[in-house]
Amino acid sequence: MTLRPPTERPRVLQMQGIAKVFGGTTTALRDMNLTVNEGDFISLLGPSGCGKSTALRLIAGLMQPTQGRILWEGGRGKDDLGVVFQEPTLMPWATVARNVFLPFRLRGQSYDSVKDRIAEILTLVGLEKFADSYPRELSGGMKMRVSIARAMVTNPRLILMDEPFAALDEITRQKLNIDLLTLKAKIGCTVIFITHSVFESVFLADRVVVMAARPGRVSAEVAVDAPYPRDATFRTSAEYAAHTQVVSAALLQAIEEHA
Ligand code: ADP
């Protein structure tokens, strides 16, 4: 799927002047502004404590900002979000297919009415042969695929991912990076992805939002204008190296700003 430039795509949401203060003293986020357009892949990159998870939790509506507002284009419905955490958080007593069924079950839908969609998403994440397996029978990477399938099965408008691959080995992580981009292109979703890794942020995103800590804030936004699809050859390209240099420099500056 070829994406139009971000400014020509419909807007999903806008964070306007968002601040979040905990306990009256900890400014987890200060004056955060972010526009998310349909089809964006945005990486939030920064050191621990810079407010990445707070930003995600605010977007998810799990808590309210102290200041500012989040405007959803066309309003927010219950099916707007899919969330993937670092831990796959699967139900150990349920099969892969039944784990992926969970968001539908929570909506009161029957398994039979959505079983074709579950089979389809399991094929897209390469797990069609494991529908009847249990989580204990799967590798860490496969469990994460189940978690991604579960987040995407309902076709949400926006997928929030909080360091989903941080606990995986490097090879698995690189493979899942490619598979995530392939999946995103196939189903056409919008992603906000938290990471500590400059390399991962550049590989995945068309926009890297670099954040600084104490107080948590956006320090820079770097466009990664390398075209998709991106595969393993992108990792060894001069273009990739150039972008990682720019983002590394922006991250270093973000860290030094309050050193
Ligand atoms: P990151 O995800 O970038 O590591 P967080 O959003 O988790 O950063 O945290 C940003 C800051 O807010 C940190 O100083 C953290 O200690 C603080 N913080 C986060 N959540 C809470 C909370 N529920 N209560 C108090 N302080 C919090």
Side-chain angles (χ1 to χ4, degrees):
M1 193 177 75
T2 311
L3 282 176
R4 287 180 287 147
T7 46
E8 292 175 20
R9 285 185 251 134
R11 187 180 291 161
V12 176
L13 66 84
Q14 236 185 341
M15 299 177 81
Q16 293 182 337
I18 293 288
K20 181 69 188 177
V21 181
F22 288 109
T25 50
T26 307
T27 304
L29 271 182
R30 189 185 72 188
D31 193 27
M32 180 164 184
N33 297 289
L34 182 71
T35 300
V36 181
N37 300 303
E38 247 174 47
D40 280 353
F41 196 123
I42 297 174
S43 288
L44 295 186
L45 172 74
S48 286
C50 70
K52 303 183 294 295
S53 298
T54 299
L56 228 59
R57 279 183 282 157
L58 287 165
I59 293 170
L62 296 173
M63 57 192 185
Q64 295 305 311
T66 311
Q67 265 175 31
R69 54 188 185 161
I70 298 178
L71 290 178
W72 284 78
E73 196 71 22
R76 239 204 96 178
K78 64 178 169 45
D79 303 331
D80 283 338
L81 281 178
V83 185
V84 182
F85 298 104
Q86 187 172 334
E87 289 298 321
T89 61
L90 304 180
M91 301 177 290
W93 60 85
T95 62
V96 164
R98 288 282 166 175
N99 267 285
V100 174
F101 171 54
L102 180 68
F104 291 122
R105 201 184 81 192
L106 294 174
R107 288 191 207 168
Q109 288 177 260
S110 73
Y111 186 79
D112 276 354
S113 69
V114 293
K115 66 178 192 314
D116 291 348
R117 173 62 185 156
I118 291 171
E120 184 186 18
I121 198 86
L122 286 178
T123 302
L124 284 172
V125 297
L127 288 179
E128 64 275 23
K129 295 201 183 105
F130 296 89
D132 298 325
S133 302
Y134 287 86
R136 64 176 178 276
E137 300 172 270
L138 307 180
S139 67
M142 289 158 87
K143 285 183 200 158
M144 186 46 73
R145 286 172 195 275
V146 178
S147 177
I148 292 171
R150 185 181 54 192
M152 294 189 174
V153 73
T154 53
N155 271 329
R157 240 163 125 194
L158 181 62
I159 314 273
L160 304 176
M161 305 183 89
D162 194 349
E163 298 203 62
F165 307 145
L168 301 173
D169 67 80
E170 188 60 23
I171 298 296
T172 305
R173 185 175 184 161
Q174 291 190 5
K175 186 157 183 355
L176 278 170
N177 281 173
I178 292 173
D179 291 349
L180 175 60
L181 289 183
T182 308
L183 192 58
K184 177 185 177 294
K186 277 189 182 144
I187 71 172
C189 58
T190 306
V191 182
I192 302 181
F193 186 101
I194 291 184
T195 180
H196 275 103
S197 160
V198 169
F199 299 102
E200 186 170 61
S201 73
V202 171
F203 186 79
L204 292 172
D206 47 18
R207 197 155 28 116
V208 179
V209 175
V210 182
M211 299 181 65
R214 289 182 298 263
R217 63 200 184 279
V218 174
S219 173
E221 264 198 44
V222 181
V224 183
D225 49 14
Y228 296 97
R230 298 176 187 167
D231 58 16
T233 57
F234 178 54
R235 275 188 212 285
T236 52
S237 68
E239 198 176 18
Y240 179 64
H243 279 107
T244 55
Q245 275 175 25
V246 172
V247 172
S248 292
L251 181 60
L252 196 60
Q253 192 180 345
I255 291 167
E256 284 173 350
E257 271 172 19
H258 65 81

